[in-house]
Amino acid sequence: MITAQANKKTQSWYDKAFASKLMTPNIIVIIVICVFPLIYGIFLSFFQYELALPSPIKFVGFGNYLKVFGDATFWSAVKVSFISVIGGAALQLFLGFGAALILNRDFRGRSIIVAILLIPTTLAPVVVGFIFRMLLDDRFGPVNYLIKSIGLQPISWWGNPQASLPGIIIANGWEWFPFVMLVLLAGLQSVPQDLIDSARVDGASDWNVFWKIVLPLLKTVMVVVVLIRAIEDLKMFDIILVTTGGGPGIATQTMNMYAYQKGFSFFSIGYASALSYVQLILALILVRFLFSQLSKED
Amino acid sequence: MNKRLIFTIVSMIIMFSMLASCSSPAAPAAPAGQPTQAAAAAAPVAADTAAPKHKVTLVVAGDGGNNQVQWTWFKQEMEEEFDVNLEIVGLSFDDLYTKLKTEFVAGSGAYDIVVFFPKHLGDFVANGYILPITSYLNTGPGADMEDIVPRFRDLYSKVGNDYYTLPYDGDILALFYRTDLFSNADEQAAFKAKYGYDLKPPETWEQYHQVAEFFTRKKGEKLAGQALTDDFYGTATYGQKDFQYAWYLNYAASMGVKYFDADMKPGINSDAAVKALEMYKQELKYCPPETQTYGFDQLQAIFLQGKTAMEIQWTDPGRVGQNPQISTIVGKIGTALVPGTKTGDKVFHAPVMAAGRVIGITKWAKDPAKAYQVARFMADEASLAYVSSPATGQDPFRYSHYKAVGAFEMFPTKKDAEDYLNGIKANLENGFPELNMPGTEQYYSALAIGISTYFSSPDADAKKTLDDVAKQWEDITNTLGRDKQKEIYLQLNQVWKEAGISTQ
């Protein structure tokens, strides 16, 4: 019996050792591709490292971070990023939930409609940017044509700082609301029908059923999908680059775009690294807040 | 056990294939069938009747599309004449600097010959990315440098006493106007009655605004005797952030604004600079409402569609506007000097030499002598073919180009071609240079954002806007190193002074 136990232990150790050997190449690749750049980026953020001139790299400690916190353009980018995240989440939730509610019942042609609604999500963000650049073009865009035809003043979507960010939120919302729709549809379909039937028997109206039963049960799913979209919207880049390039002025320049400009147009590597890590911290704060909504529910 | 063996083999295959894909960037992979230069040198020397000598492959990189198509026209001829293989790599216009700089910083050696915007010349030279070509010009076949318009040759090819590039695209801003409207008797009479002088292409900025105001009309009003079916505008301007600064500098440079003084203090917020910005904003009253969104294509299109009386643009509308498939004003386009500022009896014009392209040889070039030959061929012998073609985006830069009227076949008459060529030549001869020193992207980005923000905000103050820009310029200079930047700027100034430009 002791021998059988010892054999079992040895076999288990052997299995673990073998598993570790098999995982080692993957771990090395992950360290090289993911972990090393992450740490090197933090390291660079403590240096003044300008590639515009062959000047030596200079250690500046937290100098880059202090510069970030005193940079008005950065704070403008933070504001733009958070407006686009909050506006984007609201629009995607509104459209996605609406579509999910409509599709949460059987009707003829439902599967075709679902397939059509999923098309925007299959497009590359650059393509979506080009589509909306043309759709919302001041002079030739069909949207302004329709607005003019009903007697209203056309909107300068890409030339007006007040309209350009909403234009981007609309483009991004159009692309990603189908994803929100899919997740919420799955959530709706997991709501127990018995609860709804019982409520109806007790005389609850459709609105009461929705507000008091369906919505509370869906809250966790909604928070998760908003969390996922918020993280993705914080990273939004392609649509902005193609439509406004961050303009007019810096009206649509997000933290992402600003860090990209500093790193890849100006080659201020140290400062761009600091910008990226400050952005990461702000993103983590947002994620933490959204997660806290989840645990409130729990 | 068998399962474990299979897992082990599969893992090793995956690992080795991933490691194999991360090959060293320092040794660029040779195209299939072509050994690297080192391998070729190590191969035993064979008799002439044995396998043919391996040719060096030179990689040419620049922004693609119609700015690079001419390389394919002459590729075979150059390969035969210079005994090389040429690989043409097209990069995006917007990312050209980023892509080139990234390769240079990484030391990848990916490119032998590069076509780039001259405003990055100072950066590339200061960092040692491109080779001086003065010795090649002096000892080998020259590139007929005397034939090149001196402003373009000296301001965009020279750093200090050395030449580093050869010209490829003589971009210059020019004034284009509707000859049919300017020669209309009714319009002439009405203009004279209102402003007291004859209607003609404006020479000063005040006249430019008056002409633009005169021709800005609403739908239903008359223009040259015909009722307008849509709003018509006196002019249009470039609005996107990448080059809007050039349209501002047309005003500012003609008013004597300097980039910096001798101590590297910015001149961009001087009284003249503020006046220039305020005057530029006034121009928007006579432009289409969406002009602030215009890039190159939109600015050209609005004029060629017959919606504006004038515009300041690169030289393309004059040529491209003769194509009836895209232009409604064929044979009705005049070319003139960008307006200037009157000082005493003279009018000082400063059309900005915005963008442009030059050819340089990188320090990683596998065969710099052959790379020079290729660059020289494109800058000299091949140049007339591509600057006179409507299929390319390149503009004349040699006196021989301006004289070759017959080569510009797109014009309805030789006189039209002559007028166009004389017009753009006059602008290039008076050209005002872009900055070309380390940090140029940063200086211009700060200026462009300032201008864009000022234009999109009705209550913005021009002085405050430019003071903010000047502060950012100071920060950029201090970050890059004031002493080094001053040394480079003063060296640049010396070249500008020798070319006849007053910058301090």
Side-chain angles (χ1 to χ4, degrees):
Chain A
M1 229 172 93
I2 293 168
T3 311
Q5 249 182 352
N7 279 344
K8 228 180 165 182
K9 262 193 180 163
T10 310
Q11 186 64 32
S12 168
W13 178 89
Y14 180 69
D15 284 344
K16 280 182 188 162
F18 185 68
S20 307
K21 278 186 204 143
L22 284 181
M23 279 172 53
T24 302
N26 301 325
I27 291 170
I28 292 171
V29 168
I30 289 170
I31 288 171
V32 168
I33 292 173
C34 297
V35 176
F36 172 71
L38 206 66
I39 295 171
Y40 189 55
I42 297 173
F43 172 76
L44 284 176
S45 69
F46 295 114
F47 289 83
Q48 185 174 299
Y49 186 10
E50 302 287 336
L51 289 171
L53 262 179
S55 39
I57 303 173
K58 202 167 78 172
F59 177 72
V60 292
F62 285 99
N64 283 330
Y65 289 96
L66 290 172
K67 199 170 159 187
V68 169
F69 289 117
D71 185 347
T73 308
F74 169 71
W75 289 112
S76 164
V78 170
K79 185 175 130 194
V80 169
S81 293
F82 279 94
I83 291 174
S84 67
V85 164
I86 293 165
L91 180 65
Q92 290 163 47
L93 203 56
F94 176 74
L95 292 176
F97 209 161
L101 285 171
I102 293 169
L103 293 170
N104 189 34
R105 55 191 83 175
D106 255 323
F107 57 85
R108 206 167 158 186
R110 178 181 176 271
S111 53
I112 294 169
I113 291 175
V114 170
I116 291 169
L117 284 176
L118 284 177
I119 289 172
T121 311
T122 63
L123 297 173
V126 166
V127 172
V128 173
F130 273 117
I131 290 170
F132 274 84
R133 193 165 104 177
M134 289 186 289
L135 273 177
L136 301 181
D137 184 82
D138 295 49
R139 181 165 284 269
F140 302 111
V143 172
N144 267 349
Y145 176 78
L146 287 171
I147 289 172
K148 271 200 296 196
S149 66
I150 57 173
L152 296 173
Q153 200 60 14
I155 299 169
S156 178
W157 291 99
W158 304 128
N160 184 334
Q162 272 78 49
S164 47
L165 191 54
I168 285 167
I169 290 171
I170 290 168
N172 188 52
W174 177 84
E175 184 179 10
W176 291 109
F177 89 86
F179 170 78
V180 174
M181 173 195 80
L182 267 186
V183 174
L184 291 178
L185 185 58
L188 281 170
Q189 288 179 349
S190 66
V191 170
Q193 191 59 35
D194 306 343
L195 281 177
I196 296 171
D197 292 341
S198 312
R200 289 236 159 87
V201 164
D202 288 342
S205 64
D206 284 344
W207 172 253
N208 281 336
V209 165
F210 173 76
W211 189 252
K212 297 223 162 104
I213 298 172
V214 173
L215 208 53
L217 286 174
L218 271 189
K219 229 171 182 175
T220 307
V221 173
M222 281 167 61
V223 171
V224 167
V225 79
V226 165
L227 176 64
I228 293 169
R229 287 308 317 145
I231 293 169
E232 290 298 312
D233 286 350
L234 263 181
K235 297 189 302 187
M236 181 172 38
F237 184 87
D238 316 54
I239 290 176
I240 302 174
L241 189 70
V242 165
T243 51
T244 61
I250 50 173
T252 57
Q253 186 177 66
T254 56
M255 291 189 283
N256 232 6
M257 295 213 71
Y258 188 45
Y260 174 83
Q261 184 191 52
K262 284 291 183 187
F264 293 102
S265 296
F266 301 164
F267 289 88
S268 297
I269 304 298
Y271 189 62
S273 298
L275 276 171
S276 303
Y277 283 100
V278 171
Q279 181 182 347
L280 175 65
I281 291 164
L282 292 173
L284 287 173
I285 293 171
L286 173 68
V287 167
R288 181 74 189 87
F289 167 73
L290 287 169
F291 257 123
S292 70
Q293 302 306 303
L294 257 181
S295 39
K296 259 194 207 163
E297 269 314 292
D298 293 343
Chain B
M1 202 57 181
N2 280 338
K3 244 193 201 174
R4 287 207 180 108
L5 186 60
I6 292 165
F7 281 144
T8 308
I9 292 166
V10 168
S11 298
M12 299 297 279
I13 290 169
I14 292 169
M15 181 182 73
F16 283 119
S17 62
M18 286 179 86
L19 287 173
S21 68
C22 302
S23 53
S24 162
Q34 297 281 338
T36 60
Q37 202 175 16
V45 174
D48 284 346
T49 52
K53 225 170 42 165
H54 292 291
K55 290 198 247 185
V56 70
T57 297
L58 299 177
V59 180
V60 181
D63 59 315
N66 71 339
N67 292 316
Q68 204 179 49
V69 65
Q70 53 269 42
W71 287 87
T72 60
W73 300 347
F74 297 103
K75 183 172 177 287
Q76 191 177 347
E77 186 181 340
M78 286 191 284
E79 284 178 339
E80 285 164 7
E81 186 172 338
F82 306 121
D83 196 32
V84 294
N85 285 318
L86 289 176
E87 189 182 318
I88 317 297
V89 172
L91 305 172
S92 118
F93 174 88
D94 296 319
D95 285 334
L96 181 61
Y97 171 65
T98 300
K99 293 275 194 252
L100 292 180
K101 178 88 175 181
T102 306
E103 295 291 349
F104 293 162
V105 165
S108 66
Y111 309 132
D112 302 280
I113 300 168
V114 286
V115 178
F116 59 93
F117 306 125
K119 64 180 174 181
H120 302 132
L121 176 62
D123 180 326
F124 292 171
V125 169
N127 285 287
Y129 300 144
I130 59 173
L131 298 174
I133 57 167
T134 315
S135 58
Y136 295 115
L137 287 168
N138 292 338
T139 59
D144 199 2
M145 300 298 270
E146 295 307 313
D147 187 36
I148 303 168
V149 176
R151 287 266 165 122
F152 196 90
R153 178 191 66 215
D154 295 335
L155 301 180
Y156 283 172
S157 294
K158 221 172 161 188
V159 177
N161 294 321
D162 272 310
Y163 285 101
Y164 283 84
T165 62
L166 292 172
Y168 179 73
D169 180 11
D171 271 332
I172 182 70
L173 297 183
L175 174 68
F176 295 97
Y177 64 96
R178 289 278 300 275
T179 52
D180 57 321
L181 299 179
F182 277 60
S183 60
N184 181 278
D186 295 335
E187 298 295 344
Q188 286 177 341
F191 185 87
K192 181 103 184 231
K194 186 169 180 181
Y195 296 101
Y197 61 94
D198 291 333
L199 174 60
K200 57 181 169 58
E203 285 182 29
T204 66
W205 289 113
E206 286 78 15
Q207 289 175 357
Y208 179 72
H209 282 223
Q210 285 169 349
V211 173
E213 179 190 43
F214 175 72
F215 278 116
T216 300
R217 298 182 195 173
K218 289 283 177 207
K219 177 177 166 180
E221 290 183 66
K222 283 230 169 111
L223 179 71
Q226 306 281 327
L228 286 166
T229 55
D230 202 356
D231 292 347
F232 189 82
Y233 304 96
T235 188
T237 190
Y238 196 98
Q240 287 182 9
K241 280 195 296 187
D242 55 352
F243 283 104
Q244 188 177 34
Y245 64 83
W247 272 253
Y248 163 67
L249 288 173
N250 281 332
Y251 280 89
S254 76
M255 295 177 184
V257 172
K258 324 285 184 212
Y259 288 118
F260 299 98
D261 66 12
D263 291 319
M264 275 308 278
K265 199 167 163 317
I268 204 64
N269 59 337
S270 63
D271 291 341
V274 172
K275 183 181 170 191
L277 188 59
E278 287 168 342
M279 209 169 176
Y280 184 21
K281 192 171 184 178
Q282 290 301 310
E283 184 183 319
L284 297 184
K285 290 189 297 205
Y286 317 120
C287 296
E290 74 279 4
T291 202
Q292 279 291 89
T293 64
Y294 283 179
F296 171 81
D297 293 319
Q298 296 93 331
L299 184 58
Q300 179 167 273
I302 199 75
F303 181 65
L304 297 187
Q305 284 163 17
K307 304 285 188 200
T308 65
M310 313 179 281
E311 71 173 17
I312 292 170
Q313 238 292 35
W314 280 288
T315 65
D316 306 75
R319 282 200 316 280
V320 171
Q322 308 306 329
N323 181 352
Q325 289 181 343
I326 54 175
S327 167
T328 62
I329 55 172
V330 174
K332 299 175 186 173
I333 304 173
T335 312
L337 254 184
V338 165
T341 301
K342 196 164 186 180
T343 315
D345 290 334
K346 277 189 165 172
V347 177
F348 181 58
H349 301 270
V352 175
M353 295 157 62
R357 284 167 188 82
V358 289
I359 313 175
I361 299 161
T362 71
K363 76 173 191 186
W364 299 274
K366 299 182 240 2
D367 191 332
K370 289 204 170 167
Y372 166 75
Q373 290 299 336
V374 169
R376 185 200 60 76
F377 181 90
M378 289 303 288
D380 190 3
E381 290 155 54
S383 60
L384 179 60
Y386 61 76
V387 302
S388 61
S389 169
T392 76
Q394 273 56 67
D395 302 304
F397 50 86
R398 289 179 174 278
Y399 285 110
S400 54
H401 294 163
Y402 302 119
K403 287 177 192 155
V405 176
F408 291 80
E409 294 171 345
M410 68 284 288
F411 289 92
T413 66
K414 269 198 171 164
K415 171 97 183 31
D416 289 330
E418 221 168 56
D419 288 343
Y420 167 75
L421 290 168
N422 287 336
I424 61 173
K425 183 178 74 166
N427 280 288
L428 193 56
E429 285 174 330
N430 286 280
F432 185 83
E434 288 180 314
L435 261 184
N436 85 45
M437 57 189 289
T440 292
E441 277 295 323
Q442 300 181 50
Y443 292 122
Y444 278 149
S445 175
L447 178 58
I449 288 172
I451 294 169
S452 179
T453 307
Y454 172 66
F455 280 6
S456 48
S457 193
D459 305 320
D461 179 64
K463 176 72 180 146
K464 185 177 180 309
T465 298
L466 291 177
D467 282 343
D468 285 343
V469 172
K471 184 176 176 304
Q472 289 177 66
W473 280 26
E474 285 273 41
D475 289 342
I476 293 163
T477 302
N478 291 332
T479 303
L480 295 179
R482 179 167 285 273
D483 292 339
K484 187 68 186 168
Q485 285 293 82
K486 183 173 157 181
E487 183 193 326
I488 292 171
Y489 182 68
L490 291 178
Q491 193 180 60
L492 199 59
N493 254 284
Q494 190 52 39
V495 173
W496 291 351
K497 263 192 198 147
E498 287 165 10
I501 293 174
S502 160
T503 54
Q504 285 181 19

Coordinates of all heavy atoms in Angstrom, one line a residue, chain A residues 68-113:
Chain A
V68 N 3.3 65.1 -17.4 CA 2.0 64.6 -17.9 C 0.9 65.3 -17.1 O -0.1 65.8 -17.6 CB 1.9 63.1 -17.7 CG1 0.4 62.6 -18.0 CG2 2.8 62.4 -18.7
F69 N 1.1 65.3 -15.7 CA 0.0 65.9 -14.9 C -0.1 67.4 -15.1 O -1.2 67.9 -14.8 CB 0.2 65.5 -13.4 CG 0.0 64.0 -13.1 CD1 1.0 63.2 -12.7 CD2 -1.3 63.5 -13.4 CE1 0.8 61.9 -12.5 CE2 -1.5 62.1 -13.2 CZ -0.5 61.3 -12.7
G70 N 0.9 68.0 -15.6 CA 0.8 69.5 -15.9 C 0.5 69.8 -17.3 O 0.5 70.9 -17.7
D71 N 0.2 68.8 -18.1 CA 0.1 69.0 -19.6 C -1.4 69.2 -19.9 O -2.2 68.2 -19.8 CB 0.6 67.7 -20.3 CG 0.6 67.8 -21.8 OD1 -0.1 68.7 -22.3 OD2 1.2 67.0 -22.4
A72 N -1.8 70.4 -20.3 CA -3.2 70.7 -20.5 C -3.7 69.8 -21.7 O -4.9 69.5 -21.7 CB -3.3 72.2 -20.9
T73 N -2.9 69.6 -22.7 CA -3.3 68.7 -23.8 C -3.7 67.3 -23.3 O -4.7 66.7 -23.8 CB -2.2 68.7 -24.9 OG1 -1.8 70.0 -25.2 CG2 -2.7 68.0 -26.1
F74 N -2.9 66.8 -22.4 CA -3.2 65.5 -21.8 C -4.6 65.5 -21.2 O -5.4 64.6 -21.4 CB -2.2 65.0 -20.9 CG -2.5 63.8 -20.1 CD1 -2.6 62.6 -20.7 CD2 -2.9 63.9 -18.7 CE1 -3.0 61.4 -20.0 CE2 -3.3 62.8 -18.0 CZ -3.3 61.5 -18.7
W75 N -4.9 66.5 -20.3 CA -6.2 66.5 -19.6 C -7.3 66.7 -20.6 O -8.4 66.2 -20.4 CB -6.2 67.6 -18.5 CG -5.3 67.2 -17.4 CD1 -4.1 67.8 -17.0 CD2 -5.4 66.1 -16.5 NE1 -3.5 67.1 -16.0 CE2 -4.3 66.0 -15.7 CE3 -6.4 65.1 -16.4 CZ2 -4.2 65.1 -14.7 CZ3 -6.3 64.1 -15.4 CH2 -5.2 64.1 -14.6
S76 N -7.1 67.5 -21.7 CA -8.1 67.6 -22.7 C -8.4 66.2 -23.3 O -9.5 65.8 -23.6 CB -7.6 68.5 -23.8 OG -8.4 68.4 -24.9
A77 N -7.3 65.4 -23.5 CA -7.4 64.1 -24.1 C -8.1 63.1 -23.1 O -8.9 62.3 -23.5 CB -6.0 63.5 -24.4
V78 N -7.9 63.3 -21.8 CA -8.6 62.5 -20.8 C -10.1 62.8 -20.9 O -10.9 61.9 -20.9 CB -8.1 62.8 -19.4 CG1 -9.0 62.2 -18.3 CG2 -6.7 62.3 -19.2
K79 N -10.4 64.1 -21.0 CA -11.8 64.5 -21.1 C -12.5 63.8 -22.3 O -13.6 63.3 -22.2 CB -11.9 66.0 -21.1 CG -13.3 66.6 -21.1 CD -13.3 68.1 -21.0 CE -14.2 68.6 -22.1 NZ -14.0 70.1 -22.3
V80 N -11.8 64.0 -23.5 CA -12.3 63.4 -24.7 C -12.5 61.9 -24.6 O -13.5 61.3 -25.0 CB -11.4 63.8 -25.9 CG1 -11.8 63.0 -27.1 CG2 -11.4 65.3 -26.2
S81 N -11.5 61.2 -24.0 CA -11.6 59.8 -23.9 C -12.8 59.4 -23.0 O -13.5 58.4 -23.4 CB -10.3 59.2 -23.2 OG -9.2 59.4 -24.0
F82 N -13.0 60.0 -21.9 CA -14.1 59.6 -21.0 C -15.4 60.0 -21.6 O -16.4 59.2 -21.4 CB -13.8 60.2 -19.6 CG -12.9 59.3 -18.8 CD1 -11.5 59.6 -18.8 CD2 -13.3 58.1 -18.2 CE1 -10.6 58.8 -18.1 CE2 -12.4 57.3 -17.5 CZ -11.1 57.6 -17.5
I83 N -15.5 61.1 -22.3 CA -16.8 61.4 -23.0 C -17.1 60.3 -24.0 O -18.2 59.9 -24.1 CB -16.7 62.8 -23.6 CG1 -16.7 63.9 -22.5 CG2 -18.0 63.0 -24.5 CD1 -16.5 65.3 -23.1
S84 N -16.1 59.9 -24.8 CA -16.3 59.0 -25.8 C -16.7 57.6 -25.2 O -17.5 56.9 -25.7 CB -15.2 58.8 -26.8 OG -14.1 58.3 -26.1
V85 N -16.1 57.3 -24.0 CA -16.4 56.0 -23.4 C -17.9 56.0 -22.8 O -18.7 55.1 -23.1 CB -15.4 55.7 -22.2 CG1 -15.9 54.6 -21.3 CG2 -14.1 55.3 -22.8
I86 N -18.2 57.1 -22.1 CA -19.5 57.2 -21.5 C -20.6 57.3 -22.6 O -21.6 56.6 -22.6 CB -19.6 58.4 -20.5 CG1 -18.7 58.1 -19.3 CG2 -21.0 58.6 -20.0 CD1 -18.4 59.3 -18.5
G87 N -20.4 58.2 -23.5 CA -21.3 58.4 -24.7 C -21.4 57.1 -25.5 O -22.5 56.7 -25.8
G88 N -20.3 56.5 -25.7 CA -20.3 55.2 -26.5 C -21.1 54.1 -25.8 O -21.9 53.4 -26.4
A89 N -20.8 54.0 -24.5 CA -21.5 52.9 -23.7 C -23.0 53.2 -23.7 O -23.8 52.2 -23.9 CB -20.9 52.9 -22.3
A90 N -23.4 54.4 -23.5 CA -24.8 54.7 -23.4 C -25.5 54.4 -24.8 O -26.5 53.8 -24.8 CB -25.0 56.2 -23.1
L91 N -24.9 54.8 -25.9 CA -25.5 54.6 -27.2 C -25.5 53.1 -27.5 O -26.6 52.6 -28.0 CB -24.7 55.4 -28.2 CG -25.2 55.2 -29.7 CD1 -26.5 55.9 -29.8 CD2 -24.2 55.9 -30.7
Q92 N -24.4 52.4 -27.2 CA -24.4 51.0 -27.6 C -25.4 50.2 -26.7 O -26.0 49.3 -27.2 CB -23.0 50.5 -27.4 CG -22.0 51.0 -28.4 CD -20.5 50.8 -28.0 OE1 -20.1 49.7 -27.6 NE2 -19.8 51.9 -28.2
L93 N -25.5 50.6 -25.4 CA -26.4 49.9 -24.5 C -27.9 50.2 -25.0 O -28.7 49.3 -25.0 CB -26.2 50.4 -23.1 CG -26.7 49.6 -22.0 CD1 -26.0 48.2 -22.1 CD2 -26.3 50.2 -20.6
F94 N -28.2 51.4 -25.3 CA -29.5 51.8 -25.8 C -29.9 51.0 -27.0 O -30.9 50.4 -27.1 CB -29.6 53.3 -26.0 CG -30.9 53.8 -26.6 CD1 -32.0 53.9 -25.7 CD2 -31.0 54.1 -27.9 CE1 -33.2 54.3 -26.3 CE2 -32.2 54.6 -28.4 CZ -33.3 54.7 -27.6
L95 N -29.0 51.1 -28.1 CA -29.3 50.4 -29.3 C -29.3 48.9 -29.2 O -30.2 48.2 -29.7 CB -28.3 50.8 -30.4 CG -28.4 52.3 -30.9 CD1 -27.2 52.5 -31.9 CD2 -29.7 52.6 -31.5
G96 N -28.3 48.4 -28.4 CA -28.1 46.9 -28.3 C -29.3 46.3 -27.5 O -29.8 45.3 -27.9
F97 N -29.7 47.0 -26.4 CA -30.7 46.5 -25.6 C -32.0 46.5 -26.4 O -32.8 45.6 -26.3 CB -30.9 47.3 -24.3 CG -31.4 46.6 -23.1 CD1 -31.2 47.1 -21.8 CD2 -32.1 45.4 -23.3 CE1 -31.7 46.4 -20.7 CE2 -32.6 44.7 -22.2 CZ -32.4 45.2 -20.9
G98 N -32.3 47.6 -27.1 CA -33.5 47.7 -27.9 C -33.6 46.6 -28.9 O -34.6 46.0 -29.0
A99 N -32.5 46.4 -29.6 CA -32.5 45.3 -30.6 C -32.6 44.0 -30.0 O -33.4 43.1 -30.5 CB -31.1 45.4 -31.4
A100 N -32.0 43.8 -28.8 CA -32.1 42.5 -28.1 C -33.6 42.2 -27.7 O -34.1 41.1 -27.8 CB -31.2 42.4 -26.9
L101 N -34.2 43.2 -27.2 CA -35.6 43.1 -26.8 C -36.5 42.7 -27.9 O -37.4 41.8 -27.8 CB -36.2 44.4 -26.1 CG -35.6 44.6 -24.7 CD1 -36.0 46.0 -24.3 CD2 -36.2 43.6 -23.7
I102 N -36.3 43.3 -29.1 CA -37.1 43.0 -30.3 C -36.8 41.6 -30.7 O -37.7 40.9 -31.1 CB -36.8 44.0 -31.4 CG1 -37.3 45.4 -31.0 CG2 -37.4 43.6 -32.7 CD1 -36.8 46.6 -31.9
L103 N -35.5 41.2 -30.7 CA -35.2 39.9 -31.2 C -35.4 38.7 -30.2 O -35.2 37.6 -30.6 CB -33.7 39.9 -31.6 CG -33.4 40.8 -32.8 CD1 -31.9 41.0 -33.0 CD2 -34.0 40.3 -34.1
N104 N -35.8 39.1 -29.0 CA -36.0 38.1 -28.0 C -37.4 37.4 -28.1 O -38.1 37.2 -27.2 CB -35.9 38.7 -26.6 CG -35.9 37.6 -25.5 OD1 -35.4 36.5 -25.8 ND2 -36.4 37.9 -24.4
R105 N -37.8 37.3 -29.3 CA -39.1 36.5 -29.6 C -39.0 35.9 -30.9 O -38.2 36.4 -31.8 CB -40.3 37.5 -29.4 CG -40.3 38.7 -30.3 CD -41.3 39.7 -30.0 NE -40.9 40.6 -28.9 CZ -41.6 41.6 -28.5 NH1 -42.8 41.9 -29.0 NH2 -41.2 42.4 -27.5
D106 N -39.7 34.9 -31.1 CA -39.7 34.2 -32.4 C -40.6 34.9 -33.4 O -41.7 35.2 -33.2 CB -40.1 32.8 -32.3 CG -39.0 31.8 -32.3 OD1 -38.0 32.1 -33.1 OD2 -39.0 30.8 -31.6
F107 N -40.0 35.2 -34.6 CA -40.8 35.7 -35.7 C -40.1 35.4 -37.0 O -38.9 35.0 -37.0 CB -41.1 37.2 -35.6 CG -39.8 38.1 -35.5 CD1 -39.2 38.5 -36.7 CD2 -39.3 38.5 -34.3 CE1 -38.0 39.2 -36.6 CE2 -38.1 39.2 -34.2 CZ -37.5 39.6 -35.4
R108 N -40.9 35.5 -38.0 CA -40.4 35.0 -39.3 C -39.2 36.0 -39.8 O -39.4 37.2 -39.7 CB -41.5 35.1 -40.4 CG -41.3 34.2 -41.5 CD -42.6 34.0 -42.3 NE -42.2 33.5 -43.6 CZ -43.0 33.4 -44.6 NH1 -44.3 33.7 -44.4 NH2 -42.6 32.9 -45.7
G109 N -38.2 35.4 -40.2 CA -37.0 36.2 -40.7 C -36.1 36.7 -39.6 O -35.2 37.5 -39.8
R110 N -36.3 36.2 -38.4 CA -35.5 36.6 -37.2 C -34.0 36.4 -37.4 O -33.2 37.2 -37.2 CB -36.0 35.9 -36.0 CG -35.2 36.3 -34.7 CD -35.8 35.5 -33.5 NE -35.0 35.7 -32.3 CZ -34.0 35.0 -32.0 NH1 -33.6 34.0 -32.7 NH2 -33.3 35.2 -30.8
S111 N -33.7 35.1 -37.9 CA -32.3 34.8 -38.0 C -31.6 35.6 -39.1 O -30.5 36.0 -39.0 CB -32.1 33.3 -38.4 OG -32.9 33.0 -39.5
I112 N -32.4 36.0 -40.2 CA -31.8 36.9 -41.2 C -31.5 38.2 -40.7 O -30.5 38.8 -40.9 CB -32.7 37.0 -42.5 CG1 -32.9 35.6 -43.1 CG2 -32.3 38.0 -43.5 CD1 -34.0 35.5 -44.1
I113 N -32.5 38.7 -39.9 CA -32.3 40.1 -39.3 C -31.1 40.1 -38.3 O -30.3 41.0 -38.3 CB -33.6 40.5 -38.6 CG1 -34.6 40.8 -39.6 CG2 -33.3 41.8 -37.7 CD1 -36.0 41.1 -39.1

